[in-house]
Amino acid sequence: MGMETGTVTAAEPTRRLLLPLAVSFLLFALAAGTKSSPPSSSYIVYLGGHSHIRGVSTEEASTMATESHYDLLGSVLGDWEKARDAIFYSYTKNINGFAAVLEPAVAAAIAKRPGVVSVFPNRGMRMQTTRSWEFMGLEKAGVVPTWSAWETARYGGDTIIGNLDSGVWPESLSFNDGEMGPIPDTWKGICQNAHDPKFKCNSKLIGARYFNKGYAMEAGSPPGDRLNTPRDDVGHGTHTLATAGGSQVNGAAAFGYGNGTARGGSPRARVAAYRVCFNPPVKDVECFDADILAAFEAAIADGVHVITASVGGEQKDFFEDSVAIGSLHAFKAGITVVCSATNDGPDFGTVSNLAPWVVTVAASTTDRAFPGYLIYNRTRVEGQSMSETWLHGKSFYLMIVATDAVAPGRTVEDAKVCMLDSLDAAKASGKIVVCVRGGNRRMEKGEAVRRAGGVGMILINDDEGGSTVVAEAHVLPALHINYTDGLALLAYIKSTPAPPSGFLTKAMTVVGRRPAPVMAAFSSVGPNVLNPEILKPDVTAPGVGIIAPWSGMAAPSNKPWDQRRVAFTIQSGTSMSCPHVAGIAGLVKTLHPDWSPAAIKSAIMTTATDLDVEQRPILNPFLQPATPFSYGSGHVFPARALDPGLVYDASYADYLNFFCALGYNATAMAKFNETRYACPAAAVAVRDLNYPSITLPDLAGLTTVRRRVRNVGPPRSTYTAAVVREPEGVQVTVTPTTLAFGAVGEEKEFQVSFVARVPFVPPPKGAGGYGFGAIVWSDGPGNHRVRTPLVIRRRKM
């Protein structure tokens, strides 16, 4: 994240504000006064939606909106020209607001003005294949069968997928337009290449823009030519966009591993890149709120159908979260938005991108692995690697734990995780060095060992890493092993009377590994800390060891010490799982162009599975049964998502009612649509949002939840409900138990009642007091199964 300077919110909900202390502290500090003015910083002033006036053209409306922003800020500053100079983005199309350089006192003053929904700092966020599509059943041995979801949904043809990320490398073969026809007439975007004339769009990559003013304001310097282009100099954006909608590329491989055909989830979709993430000289890549909002506004106006956004940061109130705000306006425009769950797992309550109108995606493994082996003390330990170079000869090499090779002036903790220049070459040279996961990038640890003269590296997991091991293209022979094997290795090194020695074998590509999928240790986990009645993440998808194209300007490690350049590389993270689901959403959109974003999301969620390829429960990183807090509704199942039978649909008005249930005041609510909005006279409960999962964080007595489903299957069909599993200690009743439909599009309601059983039945250990279950609506054996997870915690008595 970037530097935070506090948060000011005008239209605060009456409950569940995530950062009330920060707001109170800032307001107190401003009220108390200071001898010198605090330094200015950049803020976003969010005003909700626009009121469109009949007879006024789009250009006139945009000009009027911009001038109203100058007027608002000018009324606080007392100078219209100063207001004009301070504003660097004016959001005038779908989102109403502006980004400006302000002093904290001015930000606080604006927040009190009528019509202002929120004012929040321009924070920075982090950016969070040849096998994964076959793992999900879209192809078999590189051949696409006639029954594949790709064939059914015409490979996502003419769906437009926009990507908010670090840009795109347009020369990649994944963006060739050999099979593409004319660009759809609905497309209104541009190819913004004035400062980079070699950057070319085509009938595949139909648009590209960059948004860097928010980054530049926080960096304190104007953007140069390197930033004034949608060209990706990081690699991340190229990788994610191709995963969502890249063209077919035969013979793709990374460092000689994983050879196969690379393509995106919607390989015939049109794609557009929106560069919002930039690589500072020292820090990791950051993506600033002001730029993200500007990109959302542009993507909506350009005419995209699906947005994939592998960015995330801390959990924030919806009106202080650029992704939540931008995606809400996208939802209103009929655009499906898919976001990463972020990479802060495996602890509880770490999942981000919590807005219920987005699809939030966790990460899990496929059945492909890149195993290599550590041989020591008559023991053979399997790990993962994609190192290009390997140890030669048959002789064993001495091994040393990094903490036994601390460089002068560095700490034991630095050496333990092999920070750069933390190892003493006099002790590490010529040896295999054992490093611990955490603290810095995995490939950077290998560089630290290489600089110290080490011949190889063994990376061992800490206790949080569990069994998740990741294959990466290290700069020297290296192997990543799990926590249990790491403990055994450390015990041997510390106890053997002879100098400890070992050998690392060359890795290979293997498919068909079991169990699969397994949840990744880095994948963020629920519950939802902002609104615990909404289960997050929503689904899981492949996010470990994903091979996709890379930028020609970026090293695989994305570090200046790495001079390698590759056409394809391997990456892991929820950043990789997110575009998989965006690609699937593109297929659903192509087959069902009139479906709402909520219907598309429901189709993906209710057809997901909580079982692995052997029909056993999906496991967590510690090889214990995972829960919906890890995988949401389950692992995505593309073929089933195209024909879900029933969908839990939701409209923009449903989400306005959701805000009412959260306690947002009438002033805030009035900003979201063209006419004045009033909350329903009858109280609305958050639990009754028409969501494809049901969560009750505080069950006390009898509680009834309402849902409605719409028929998108055969016109005449009857569905029967089954409680396939009750959460521990909870009785579940569905009313009615059958739903008979007579037409496509018909909608029916049902209720699910929950009551605690007596005597008390304890929930599973380590689940935060929650129990888990599911209900399934089915129209007969072999037909549709509409599965809804149940996540229930009984109130402590």
Side-chain angles (χ1 to χ4, degrees), residues 422-433:
S422 66
L423 303 176
D424 188 345
K427 297 177 180 178
S429 182
K431 298 175 183 176
I432 299 173
V433 180

Side-chain angles (χ1 to χ4, degrees), residues 341-346 350 361-364 519-525 540 574 630:
T342 65
N343 303 327
D344 295 318
T350 51
V361 187
S364 45
M519 297 308 302
F522 56 76
S523 186
S524 292
V525 177
T540 188
T574 56
S630 293

Side-chain angles (χ1 to χ4, degrees), residues 208-250:
R209 297 177 185 263
Y210 60 89
F211 303 89
N212 57 26
K213 294 178 183 177
Y215 169 82
M217 288 298 171
E218 291 305 304
S221 59
D225 285 345
R226 185 179 67 85
L227 303 184
N228 287 327
T229 171
R231 183 176 295 279
D232 181 12
D233 64 355
V234 174
H236 192 274
T238 302
H239 197 284
T240 54
L241 183 56
T243 300
S247 299
Q248 176 175 315
V249 179
N250 297 322

Side-chain angles (χ1 to χ4, degrees), residues 15-102:
R15 66 186 183 95
R16 291 196 184 125
L17 273 180
L18 198 61
L19 299 173
L21 293 179
V23 176
S24 300
F25 177 80
L26 178 56
L27 293 175
F28 173 80
L30 295 173
T34 56
K35 292 182 179 180
S36 59
S37 298
S40 297
S41 188
S42 53
Y43 290 82
I44 290 107
V45 178
Y46 179 49
L47 305 172
H50 289 283
S51 296
H52 300 289
I53 304 172
R54 290 183 180 181
V56 177
S57 69
T58 302
E59 293 75 14
E60 289 175 312
S62 179
T63 300
M64 292 169 60
T66 300
E67 292 188 353
S68 72
H69 299 159
Y70 295 154
D71 289 342
L72 172 59
L73 182 54
S75 69
V76 177
L77 295 176
D79 189 318
W80 197 87
E81 288 300 326
K82 285 184 178 179
R84 186 184 182 94
D85 293 340
I87 293 176
F88 58 89
Y89 278 128
S90 196
Y91 309 116
T92 63
K93 296 182 177 66
N94 293 276
I95 302 166
N96 187 9
F98 58 89
V101 177
L102 307 171

